[in-house]
Amino acid sequence: MADQTLNAEGLNCPLPILRAKKTLKGMSSGQVLEISATDPGSVADMAAFCKQTGNELLSSDSEADVYKFEIRKA
């Protein structure tokens, strides 16, 4: 279960990543952030973001044009 959620639906690149970065900054190491987004580019963006920052992408899923991600803060 996520410690915090972020609704980035309706936002286009790079806003979902920027909002995720800002939210994660205020979280403790090991906590999980759940993000929902509608930008199809967010799938590749979230994976690249996690790889660059060392955070762990726990899940990446889509349902009815909404992309859901769970990221564990490093």
Side-chain angles (χ1 to χ4, degrees):
M1 185 169 175
D3 296 293
Q4 207 163 337
T5 60
L6 171 65
N7 183 343
E9 294 177 26
L11 301 177
N12 292 321
C13 181
L15 290 176
I17 292 295
L18 295 175
R19 298 268 171 97
K21 182 178 180 179
K22 183 178 179 181
T23 304
L24 284 165
K25 188 178 238 183
M27 296 174 66
S28 300
S29 183
Q31 287 189 308
V32 175
L33 173 63
E34 180 182 280
I35 304 161
S36 60
T38 50
D39 181 4
S42 63
V43 175
D45 290 346
M46 289 295 172
F49 169 73
C50 288
K51 189 174 184 180
Q52 287 179 334
T53 60
N55 295 304
E56 181 182 1
L57 183 61
L58 299 174
S59 68
S60 176
D61 200 7
S62 66
E63 181 178 309
D65 296 329
V66 176
Y67 304 92
K68 302 248 184 199
F69 310 95
E70 284 190 339
I71 298 174
R72 184 185 327 268
K73 182 173 178 173

